[in-house]
Protein backbone atom coordinates (compact mmCIF):
# COMPACT_ATOMS: atom_id res chain seq x y z
CA UNK A 1 0.00 0.00 0.00
CA UNK A 2 1.67 3.19 -1.20
CA UNK A 3 1.07 6.11 1.16
CA UNK A 4 1.80 9.64 -0.06
CA UNK A 5 1.47 13.10 1.44
CA UNK A 6 0.18 15.54 -1.18
CA UNK A 7 0.75 19.21 -0.30
CA UNK A 8 -1.50 21.52 -2.27
CA UNK A 9 0.04 24.92 -2.98
CA UNK A 10 -0.33 27.87 -5.34
CA UNK A 11 0.88 31.46 -5.65
CA UNK A 12 -2.41 33.09 -6.64
CA UNK A 13 -3.92 33.36 -3.15
CA UNK A 14 -6.12 36.45 -3.03
CA UNK A 15 -5.54 37.01 0.71
CA UNK A 16 -1.76 36.57 0.62
CA UNK A 17 -0.33 36.34 -2.93
CA UNK A 18 2.90 34.36 -3.31
CA UNK A 19 2.84 33.34 0.34
CA UNK A 20 4.46 30.01 -0.50
CA UNK A 21 7.64 31.94 -1.36
CA UNK A 22 7.70 33.92 1.89
CA UNK A 23 10.45 32.84 4.27
CA UNK A 24 10.37 31.30 7.73
CA UNK A 25 13.81 30.77 9.30
CA UNK A 26 15.45 31.66 5.97
CA UNK A 27 13.61 29.04 3.92
CA UNK A 28 10.44 29.44 1.89
CA UNK A 29 7.09 28.35 3.28
CA UNK A 30 6.79 25.59 0.67
CA UNK A 31 10.18 24.18 1.74
CA UNK A 32 9.21 24.42 5.39
CA UNK A 33 5.99 22.46 4.90
CA UNK A 34 7.74 19.91 2.68
CA UNK A 35 10.56 19.39 5.20
CA UNK A 36 8.04 19.06 8.02
CA UNK A 37 6.05 16.42 6.13
CA UNK A 38 9.26 14.53 5.37
CA UNK A 39 9.45 13.80 9.09
CA UNK A 40 6.69 11.25 8.54
CA UNK A 41 7.88 7.69 9.18
CA UNK A 42 4.94 6.12 7.34
CA UNK A 43 4.70 8.12 4.10
CA UNK A 44 6.41 6.58 1.10
CA UNK A 45 6.59 9.93 -0.64
CA UNK A 46 5.90 13.64 -0.14
CA UNK A 47 4.84 15.71 -3.16
CA UNK A 48 3.92 19.36 -3.69
CA UNK A 49 0.99 19.59 -6.10
CA UNK A 50 0.53 22.96 -7.74
CA UNK A 51 -1.20 24.24 -10.87
CA UNK A 52 -0.06 24.22 -14.49
CA UNK A 53 -0.89 27.92 -14.80
CA UNK A 54 1.81 30.47 -15.56
CA UNK A 55 1.11 32.03 -12.16
CA UNK A 56 2.70 28.99 -10.52
CA UNK A 57 5.81 28.73 -12.72
CA UNK A 58 7.98 30.31 -10.03
CA UNK A 59 6.75 27.85 -7.40
CA UNK A 60 7.33 24.90 -9.72
CA UNK A 61 10.86 26.05 -10.59
CA UNK A 62 11.72 26.53 -6.92
CA UNK A 63 10.60 22.98 -6.14
CA UNK A 64 12.65 21.58 -9.01
CA UNK A 65 15.74 23.54 -7.95
CA UNK A 66 15.35 22.38 -4.34
CA UNK A 67 14.82 18.72 -5.34
CA UNK A 68 11.27 18.79 -4.01
CA UNK A 69 8.95 16.33 -5.74
CA UNK A 70 6.35 18.42 -7.57
CA UNK A 71 3.31 17.81 -9.78
CA UNK A 72 1.28 20.27 -11.85
CA UNK A 73 -2.44 20.02 -12.54
CA UNK A 74 -5.59 22.08 -12.82
CA UNK A 75 -5.73 25.34 -10.86
CA UNK A 76 -9.37 25.50 -9.77
CA UNK A 77 -10.34 21.84 -10.03
CA UNK A 78 -8.13 20.83 -7.12
CA UNK A 79 -9.97 17.53 -6.73
CA UNK A 80 -8.85 16.50 -10.22
CA UNK A 81 -5.33 17.71 -9.41
CA UNK A 82 -5.27 15.24 -6.52
CA UNK A 83 -6.65 12.45 -8.68
CA UNK A 84 -4.16 13.09 -11.47
CA UNK A 85 -1.26 13.24 -9.00
CA UNK A 86 -2.34 10.00 -7.36
CA UNK A 87 -2.42 8.30 -10.75
CA UNK A 88 0.97 9.71 -11.76
CA UNK A 89 2.64 8.57 -8.54
CA UNK A 90 0.62 5.35 -8.26
CA UNK A 91 -0.77 6.30 -4.84
CA UNK A 92 -3.12 4.10 -2.82
CA UNK A 93 -3.62 6.25 0.28
CA UNK A 94 -3.37 10.04 0.35
CA UNK A 95 -2.74 12.43 3.20
CA UNK A 96 -3.92 15.91 2.24
CA UNK A 97 -1.88 18.75 3.70
CA UNK A 98 -2.42 22.41 2.87
CA UNK A 99 0.65 24.37 1.85
CA UNK A 100 -0.16 27.04 4.41
CA UNK A 101 0.38 24.64 7.37
CA UNK A 102 4.07 24.71 8.36
CA UNK A 103 3.39 23.06 11.73
CA UNK A 104 1.14 20.21 10.59
CA UNK A 105 1.06 17.35 13.11
CA UNK A 106 3.19 14.59 11.57
CA UNK A 107 2.55 12.17 14.42
CA UNK A 108 -1.16 12.38 13.57
CA UNK A 109 -0.42 11.74 9.89
CA UNK A 110 1.42 8.54 10.79
CA UNK A 111 -1.34 7.45 13.16
CA UNK A 112 -3.92 7.94 10.41
CA UNK A 113 -1.82 6.00 7.90
CA UNK A 114 -1.49 3.17 10.43
CA UNK A 115 -5.21 3.16 11.15
CA UNK A 116 -6.00 3.06 7.45
CA UNK A 117 -3.73 0.07 6.89
CA UNK A 118 -5.31 -1.79 9.81
CA UNK A 119 -8.92 -1.08 8.82
CA UNK A 120 -9.66 -2.14 5.26
CA UNK A 121 -13.22 -0.77 5.34
CA UNK A 122 -12.32 2.80 6.34
CA UNK A 123 -13.08 5.57 3.83
CA UNK A 124 -11.90 8.78 5.43
CA UNK A 125 -9.95 9.88 8.52
CA UNK A 126 -9.65 13.43 9.83
CA UNK A 127 -8.17 15.21 12.82
CA UNK A 128 -10.29 17.01 15.39
CA UNK A 129 -10.01 18.99 18.67
CA UNK A 130 -6.98 20.90 17.47
CA UNK A 131 -5.76 24.38 16.69
CA UNK A 132 -6.08 25.30 13.04
CA UNK A 133 -2.77 24.38 11.41
CA UNK A 134 -2.11 20.97 12.98
CA UNK A 135 -4.82 19.35 10.86
CA UNK A 136 -4.67 16.92 7.94
CA UNK A 137 -6.89 14.26 6.32
CA UNK A 138 -6.35 10.75 4.99
CA UNK A 139 -8.38 8.94 2.33
CA UNK A 140 -7.89 6.54 -0.57
CA UNK A 141 -7.36 7.47 -4.19
CA UNK A 142 -10.27 5.11 -4.94
CA UNK A 143 -12.59 7.28 -2.84
CA UNK A 144 -11.61 10.38 -4.82
CA UNK A 145 -12.34 8.61 -8.08
CA UNK A 146 -15.71 7.43 -6.77
CA UNK A 147 -16.57 10.97 -5.63
CA UNK A 148 -15.54 12.44 -8.97
CA UNK A 149 -18.16 10.35 -10.74
CA UNK A 150 -20.93 11.99 -8.72
CA UNK A 151 -22.72 15.24 -9.55
CA UNK A 152 -20.25 17.81 -8.22
CA UNK A 153 -20.54 21.55 -7.86
CA UNK A 154 -17.76 24.02 -8.65
CA UNK A 155 -17.08 24.29 -4.92
CA UNK A 156 -16.85 20.49 -4.60
CA UNK A 157 -14.10 20.46 -7.22
CA UNK A 158 -12.26 23.41 -5.73
CA UNK A 159 -12.33 22.12 -2.13
CA UNK A 160 -11.05 18.56 -2.27
CA UNK A 161 -12.93 16.95 0.60
CA UNK A 162 -16.02 19.19 0.74
CA UNK A 163 -18.24 16.62 -0.99
CA UNK A 164 -16.88 13.88 1.27
CA UNK A 165 -17.61 15.89 4.42
CA UNK A 166 -21.05 16.89 3.15
CA UNK A 167 -21.88 13.21 2.67
CA UNK A 168 -20.09 11.86 5.71
CA UNK A 169 -23.09 9.82 6.90
CA UNK A 170 -22.73 7.56 3.85
CA UNK A 171 -19.11 6.72 4.61
CA UNK A 172 -17.09 4.77 7.13
CA UNK A 173 -15.13 7.50 8.86
CA UNK A 174 -12.80 8.00 11.81
CA UNK A 175 -11.93 11.17 13.73
CA UNK A 176 -8.57 11.33 15.45
CA UNK A 177 -8.81 13.43 18.61
CA UNK A 178 -5.52 15.33 18.87
CA UNK A 179 -6.28 17.14 22.14
CA UNK A 180 -4.30 20.11 20.87
CA UNK A 181 -6.66 22.99 21.59
CA UNK A 182 -5.91 24.60 24.97
CA UNK A 183 -8.62 27.08 25.89
CA UNK A 184 -6.14 29.92 26.45
CA UNK A 185 -4.77 29.48 22.91
CA UNK A 186 -8.06 29.18 20.99
CA UNK A 187 -7.55 32.57 19.33
CA UNK A 188 -4.36 31.43 17.62
CA UNK A 189 -4.22 30.03 14.11
CA UNK A 190 -1.11 28.28 12.85
CA UNK A 191 -1.96 28.51 9.16
CA UNK A 192 -0.57 31.24 6.93
CA UNK A 193 -3.67 32.95 5.57
CA UNK A 194 -2.61 36.60 5.84
CA UNK A 195 0.75 38.41 5.97
CA UNK A 196 0.37 38.99 9.71
CA UNK A 197 0.22 35.22 10.30
CA UNK A 198 3.91 35.09 9.41
CA UNK A 199 4.68 36.95 12.65
CA UNK A 200 3.41 34.04 14.75
CA UNK A 201 5.07 31.47 12.49
CA UNK A 202 8.46 33.17 12.69
CA UNK A 203 8.32 33.44 16.49
CA UNK A 204 7.50 29.73 16.74
CA UNK A 205 10.13 28.68 14.20
CA UNK A 206 12.83 30.74 15.92
CA UNK A 207 12.31 28.54 18.99
CA UNK A 208 12.67 25.27 17.07
CA UNK A 209 15.94 23.56 16.16
CA UNK A 210 14.73 21.51 13.20
CA UNK A 211 11.59 19.92 11.73
CA UNK A 212 11.28 17.00 14.16
CA UNK A 213 9.33 18.99 16.75
CA UNK A 214 6.17 17.75 18.42
CA UNK A 215 2.91 19.68 18.35
CA UNK A 216 3.15 19.90 22.14
CA UNK A 217 6.35 21.91 21.60
CA UNK A 218 4.37 24.44 19.56
CA UNK A 219 1.73 24.62 22.29
CA UNK A 220 4.40 25.34 24.91
CA UNK A 221 6.05 28.01 22.75
CA UNK A 222 2.69 29.73 22.27
CA UNK A 223 2.00 29.64 25.99
CA UNK A 224 5.41 31.17 26.71
CA UNK A 225 5.24 33.86 24.01
CA UNK A 226 1.52 34.64 23.72
CA UNK A 227 1.95 38.03 25.39
CA UNK A 228 4.47 39.04 22.68
CA UNK A 229 2.17 38.19 19.79
Amino acid sequence: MKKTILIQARLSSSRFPKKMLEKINNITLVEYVYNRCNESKKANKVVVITSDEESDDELYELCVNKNIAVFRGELNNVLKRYIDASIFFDVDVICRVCGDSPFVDVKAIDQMFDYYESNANIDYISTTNTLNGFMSEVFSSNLLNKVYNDDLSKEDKEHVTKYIRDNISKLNVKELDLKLKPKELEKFTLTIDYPEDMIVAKIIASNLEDFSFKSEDIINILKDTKEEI
Side-chain angles (χ1 to χ4, degrees):
M1 183 179 284
K2 190 170 182 181
K3 304 174 291 296
T4 300
I5 300 173
L6 297 181
I7 305 167
Q8 66 184 74
R10 62 189 175 102
L11 297 185
S12 54
S13 167
S14 58
R15 293 179 293 187
F16 190 0
K18 292 195 171 185
K19 65 183 177 183
M20 299 311 301
L21 304 181
E22 291 290 322
K23 291 189 175 181
I24 302 175
N25 271 12
N26 297 316
I27 68 167
T28 59
L29 176 57
V30 67
E31 292 174 83
Y32 203 101
V33 179
Y34 179 81
N35 289 339
R36 174 60 174 156
C37 288
N38 260 327
E39 292 294 320
S40 168
K41 295 176 174 60
K42 301 295 180 178
N44 301 113
K45 196 171 186 64
V46 180
V47 182
V48 172
I49 60 170
T50 190
S51 87
D52 52 16
E53 295 291 316
E54 184 179 348
S55 58
D56 285 315
D57 284 353
E58 190 176 0
L59 177 59
Y60 172 77
E61 289 162 10
L62 173 71
C63 289
V64 171
N65 290 335
K66 297 292 184 177
N67 293 315
I68 294 173
V70 60
F71 178 86
R72 304 188 81 172
E74 294 193 21
L75 175 61
N76 295 317
N77 191 343
V78 188
L79 175 57
K80 189 171 189 303
R81 196 194 311 170
Y82 268 82
I83 291 171
D84 291 345
S86 69
I87 293 170
F88 185 85
F89 291 104
D90 193 26
V91 179
D92 298 304
V93 182
I94 298 164
C95 176
R96 173 180 174 258
V97 171
C98 292
D100 59 8
S101 301
F103 308 114
V104 63
D105 191 307
V106 175
K107 178 183 175 182
I109 291 174
D110 286 349
Q111 288 176 325
M112 288 190 288
F113 276 146
D114 277 343
Y115 190 88
Y116 207 102
E117 281 198 301
S118 303
N119 295 270
N121 62 338
I122 199 75
D123 292 308
Y124 172 78
I125 314 175
S126 62
T127 50
T128 188
N129 192 21
T130 173
L131 294 179
N132 189 24
F134 288 139
M135 302 174 294
S136 57
E137 308 168 281
V138 167
F139 41 83
S140 72
S141 55
N142 285 339
L143 177 60
L144 290 192
N145 281 292
K146 188 186 300 183
V147 164
Y148 202 69
N149 288 325
D150 286 344
D151 185 20
L152 303 180
S153 68
K154 179 182 176 183
E155 288 73 23
D156 291 331
K157 294 177 181 179
E158 183 178 356
H159 303 285
V160 182
T161 56
K162 179 182 181 299
Y163 184 85
I164 293 172
R165 287 181 279 108
D166 287 347
N167 293 274
I168 209 79
S169 61
K170 303 175 185 177
L171 302 171
N172 189 356
V173 302
K174 166 75 175 176
E175 283 191 341
L176 183 64
D177 186 347
L178 299 189
K179 298 181 174 64
L180 291 171
K181 199 172 184 179
K183 192 168 184 62
E184 70 267 34
L185 300 178
E186 285 182 337
K187 70 173 185 177
F188 287 100
T189 179
L190 300 173
T191 56
I192 310 300
D193 297 312
Y194 300 95
E196 52 266 32
D197 294 330
M198 290 295 287
I199 297 171
V200 177
K202 287 177 180 179
I203 289 173
I204 293 171
S206 67
N207 285 276
L208 299 169
E209 292 184 4
D210 52 30
F211 302 98
S212 61
F213 54 85
K214 299 176 182 177
S215 294
E216 290 78 8
D217 297 331
I218 307 295
I219 295 291
N220 290 332
I221 291 168
L222 282 175
K223 286 180 179 179
D224 290 342
T225 61
K226 62 183 179 180
E227 301 306 324
E228 304 171 27
I229 303 172

